[in-house]
Amino acid sequence: MLVLAFDTATAAVSVALYEWTPGEGVRSRAVAEEAGTRKHTELLVPAVAAVLAEAGAVPADLSAIAVGAGPGPYTGLRVGLVTARAMGEALKIPVHGVCTLDVIAWASARQAPFAVATDARRKEVYWARYASAAERTTAPAVGPAADVLAGAEGGLPVIGEGAALYPDVLGTSGLGPEPLLPSAAALAEVAIARLAGRKGPDLLPPEPLYLRRPDAKEPGPRKKVMPA
């Protein structure tokens, strides 16, 4: 099974191609990462092409696509999901969404309770709490950084870009905030684990987890102008 994975839910574009062979395990075929960018539209498709070329594969070789479903900003998240659905329809292969917070949690490999927080802009974070890297205990949410630890007796370690942005609120555990951003490598591992019947975060429909309305709004009806 050859799985193409990519995530555009943060200020990064991450693409990976992973192969799973029953009895032989999982191996990485190619990875491309571009952090600190907002050019998701310009970078995603070339990155997918580069990863396939590096692995000596073509789109027809793919068995499934895994895509980050957010939560994340409207524009970047939409780029990844639309691309994944279009490729899946063209190739007639399944497309699976994975919560982006779950991808960061999985990459941490932590076995004790913690939280993940990413940048939601507007001085807010997207966040969720976890019992372990493979088990989320709260639904994804958006709000002030203080919400992440509200009611958590004794506090929790917090990882992700949100922890790095608000260390005065979330950086109280003494542990580093890494990993900061979702990686397509971890996304591919999550998808393969679940498709192989192993424990891990849930696979979702390839639909966006926005959690709040986009900034852009449709214009309302024009106001009537009365003659003087």
Side-chain angles (χ1 to χ4, degrees):
M1 172 181 285
L2 202 59
V3 176
L4 175 68
F6 48 85
D7 189 290
T8 59
T10 65
V13 174
S14 182
V15 182
L17 187 66
Y18 267 55
E19 185 175 11
W20 171 54
T21 304
E24 296 183 13
V26 180
R27 69 185 181 107
S28 172
R29 295 284 300 273
V31 175
E33 304 276 355
E34 184 71 39
T37 180
R38 303 290 182 186
K39 299 180 180 179
H40 301 88
T41 303
E42 295 91 334
L43 294 175
L44 179 58
V45 172
V48 168
V51 162
L52 289 172
E54 181 180 340
V58 296
D61 295 330
L62 298 176
S63 304
I65 296 172
V67 61
Y74 178 84
T75 303
L77 186 55
R78 183 174 179 273
V79 169
L81 287 163
V82 168
T83 301
R85 290 199 296 257
M87 290 185 66
E89 183 175 350
L91 298 170
K92 307 301 181 187
I93 58 175
V95 179
H96 304 285
V98 179
C99 173
T100 296
L101 300 174
D102 291 352
V103 175
I104 297 173
W106 180 272
S108 77
R110 294 175 184 243
Q111 297 303 311
F114 66 101
V116 175
T118 61
D119 184 16
R121 307 176 192 175
R122 305 181 190 174
K123 297 183 179 180
E124 293 183 330
V125 295
Y126 298 114
W127 65 274
R129 295 178 186 172
Y130 294 79
S132 70
E135 184 182 358
R136 176 157 42 86
T137 58
T138 66
V142 62
D147 289 357
V148 179
L149 298 178
E153 295 185 9
L156 285 173
V158 184
I159 64 173
E161 190 178 25
L165 288 172
Y166 302 102
D168 54 330
V169 180
L170 302 178
T172 59
S173 67
L175 302 175
E178 292 78 13
L180 295 177
L181 298 171
S183 72
L187 174 56
E189 291 173 3
V190 168
I192 290 173
R194 292 316 306 268
L195 292 173
R198 299 195 298 272
K199 183 179 180 180
D202 290 336
L203 297 181
L204 308 171
E207 300 294 336
L209 295 171
Y210 289 133
L211 301 190
R212 65 186 181 199
R213 295 183 181 277
D215 293 330
K217 297 181 179 180
E218 293 185 8
R222 294 184 178 181
K223 295 182 179 181
K224 292 183 180 180
V225 178
M226 299 298 292

